[in-house]
Amino acid sequence: MKIGFIGLGVMGTPMALNLSRRFPLTVWNRTASKYPPLRQAGATVADTPQELAESSEVIFTMLFNEAAFEPVLTPCFKNALRGKILVNTSSVSVEYSRYLTDEAQKAGARFIEMPVSGSKVPAEQGQLVGMIAGDADAAKQIKSIVEPTMVKEAIYCGPIGSGLKTKYAVNLYLITMTAGLAESMALARAQGLNIQAFSQVINAGPMASAYSKLKIAKMASSDYTPQAAVKDCYNLTQLIKAAAQDVDAETPFIQLCASLYQKAITQQLGDLDMIALEKILGNSRV
């Protein structure tokens, strides 16, 4: 099975590297600076998205937002999709996912929606969770490709839109939990606590998780290199807010988190890890 992967950002690079360990892989990215680790892993670099699609049977996309699809979805790229499967793992709106479905079908291809839950470290470890939606037969085929190389589990959620809606609900929990953890650390710092002792208490308690331990360690060492960036988190809050509005669901926590992450972006923190929200909370002095 020949695989293509478009979009080599913080998440896309480790996802593509994991696929390269099992399948012949061709990659394309808007900027060439992302290619060296993929070349070292044996992947082929395509000059254009069209060239990638022509040499691949299944094409994955992991792009920043909907606008990033514009230079990819050229007529030549669409023509090269005939008889193939296009799998989008990016976080987009349900409406845009349906648009991608229509475009793939017009081109004679099948489309699968598979947003993922997890950030850079789980992506590197192949421990992401995939939320698959679309044609059930195509979904089974994609599941056999991504498990266990790229994700630890790919869960079929239903028709197109179901995977993204699941992602929105899951990430609402993740984002609000992250904001709470950042606010907790900010208060600990403002009170002048021993941060190592504070961290040990959190890690020893019933609320501890692999995720909280990772983020606590980053804050304690003032390491804000992105595993999932503030700007990505803010984009997700907008998608979640829109999804909630569509079904008249009250989501006060995500409304507050959206305003906090927007504030972080205005303070030039957009490229830092999402836990850098701590920097704008509680007079944290970090």
mmCIF file of all heavy atoms in Angstrom, residues 41 63 76 88 97 163 165 172 188 224 226 244:
data_model
loop_
_atom_site.group_PDB
_atom_site.id
_atom_site.type_symbol
_atom_site.label_atom_id
_atom_site.label_comp_id
_atom_site.label_asym_id
_atom_site.label_seq_id
_atom_site.Cartn_x
_atom_site.Cartn_y
_atom_site.Cartn_z
ATOM 1 N N ALA A 41 14.082 8.935 7.040
ATOM 2 C CA ALA A 41 13.286 7.738 7.305
ATOM 3 C C ALA A 41 12.959 6.960 6.041
ATOM 4 O O ALA A 41 12.317 5.914 6.104
ATOM 5 C CB ALA A 41 11.994 8.126 8.029
ATOM 6 N N LEU A 63 -3.462 19.508 8.116
ATOM 7 C CA LEU A 63 -3.189 20.913 7.826
ATOM 8 C C LEU A 63 -3.725 21.811 8.944
ATOM 9 O O LEU A 63 -4.611 21.410 9.712
ATOM 10 C CB LEU A 63 -3.807 21.303 6.486
ATOM 11 C CG LEU A 63 -3.262 20.499 5.290
ATOM 12 C CD1 LEU A 63 -4.094 20.748 4.042
ATOM 13 C CD2 LEU A 63 -1.802 20.831 5.043
ATOM 14 N N CYS A 76 -5.712 19.747 -10.752
ATOM 15 C CA CYS A 76 -4.781 18.644 -11.053
ATOM 16 C C CYS A 76 -4.729 17.640 -9.905
ATOM 17 O O CYS A 76 -4.687 16.424 -10.132
ATOM 18 C CB CYS A 76 -3.386 19.193 -11.338
ATOM 19 S SG CYS A 76 -3.272 20.134 -12.875
ATOM 20 N N ASN A 88 -8.766 12.950 5.833
ATOM 21 C CA ASN A 88 -8.395 14.195 6.507
ATOM 22 C C ASN A 88 -8.333 13.998 8.013
ATOM 23 O O ASN A 88 -9.310 13.613 8.643
ATOM 24 C CB ASN A 88 -9.392 15.316 6.198
ATOM 25 C CG ASN A 88 -9.016 16.580 6.926
ATOM 26 O OD1 ASN A 88 -7.837 16.944 7.002
ATOM 27 N ND2 ASN A 88 -9.993 17.254 7.497
ATOM 28 N N SER A 97 -15.845 19.516 6.073
ATOM 29 C CA SER A 97 -15.622 18.093 5.867
ATOM 30 C C SER A 97 -16.596 17.537 4.828
ATOM 31 O O SER A 97 -16.237 16.693 3.999
ATOM 32 C CB SER A 97 -15.776 17.332 7.198
ATOM 33 O OG SER A 97 -15.306 16.009 7.089
ATOM 34 N N GLY A 163 -17.074 12.038 13.310
ATOM 35 C CA GLY A 163 -15.728 12.048 13.870
ATOM 36 C C GLY A 163 -15.372 13.421 14.418
ATOM 37 O O GLY A 163 -14.837 13.544 15.529
ATOM 38 N N LYS A 165 -17.474 15.850 15.304
ATOM 39 C CA LYS A 165 -18.322 16.187 16.446
ATOM 40 C C LYS A 165 -17.821 15.498 17.715
ATOM 41 O O LYS A 165 -17.871 16.075 18.808
ATOM 42 C CB LYS A 165 -19.774 15.794 16.154
ATOM 43 C CG LYS A 165 -20.435 16.671 15.101
ATOM 44 C CD LYS A 165 -21.845 16.188 14.785
ATOM 45 C CE LYS A 165 -22.497 17.039 13.710
ATOM 46 N NZ LYS A 165 -23.861 16.553 13.362
ATOM 47 N N LEU A 172 -13.359 19.740 24.170
ATOM 48 C CA LEU A 172 -13.925 20.652 25.164
ATOM 49 C C LEU A 172 -13.423 20.259 26.546
ATOM 50 O O LEU A 172 -12.989 21.108 27.334
ATOM 51 C CB LEU A 172 -15.453 20.616 25.109
ATOM 52 C CG LEU A 172 -16.181 21.667 25.956
ATOM 53 C CD1 LEU A 172 -17.537 21.999 25.352
ATOM 54 C CD2 LEU A 172 -16.376 21.227 27.403
ATOM 55 N N ALA A 188 -0.537 28.672 42.481
ATOM 56 C CA ALA A 188 0.542 28.139 43.306
ATOM 57 C C ALA A 188 1.751 29.068 43.273
ATOM 58 O O ALA A 188 2.358 29.363 44.309
ATOM 59 C CB ALA A 188 0.927 26.740 42.820
ATOM 60 N N TYR A 224 7.906 25.770 27.410
ATOM 61 C CA TYR A 224 6.675 26.008 26.668
ATOM 62 C C TYR A 224 6.823 25.672 25.184
ATOM 63 O O TYR A 224 6.058 26.170 24.355
ATOM 64 C CB TYR A 224 6.214 27.452 26.861
ATOM 65 C CG TYR A 224 5.940 27.759 28.318
ATOM 66 C CD1 TYR A 224 6.838 28.500 29.083
ATOM 67 C CD2 TYR A 224 4.807 27.261 28.951
ATOM 68 C CE1 TYR A 224 6.605 28.749 30.428
ATOM 69 C CE2 TYR A 224 4.559 27.501 30.298
ATOM 70 C CZ TYR A 224 5.462 28.249 31.025
ATOM 71 O OH TYR A 224 5.225 28.480 32.356
ATOM 72 N N PRO A 226 6.060 23.851 21.924
ATOM 73 C CA PRO A 226 4.699 23.377 21.645
ATOM 74 C C PRO A 226 4.579 21.875 21.411
ATOM 75 O O PRO A 226 5.332 21.286 20.644
ATOM 76 C CB PRO A 226 4.315 24.149 20.379
ATOM 77 C CG PRO A 226 5.620 24.444 19.707
ATOM 78 C CD PRO A 226 6.613 24.642 20.815
ATOM 79 N N ALA A 244 -21.490 23.960 19.139
ATOM 80 C CA ALA A 244 -22.457 24.087 20.231
ATOM 81 C C ALA A 244 -23.610 25.002 19.843
ATOM 82 O O ALA A 244 -24.783 24.733 20.155
ATOM 83 C CB ALA A 244 -21.756 24.618 21.475
#
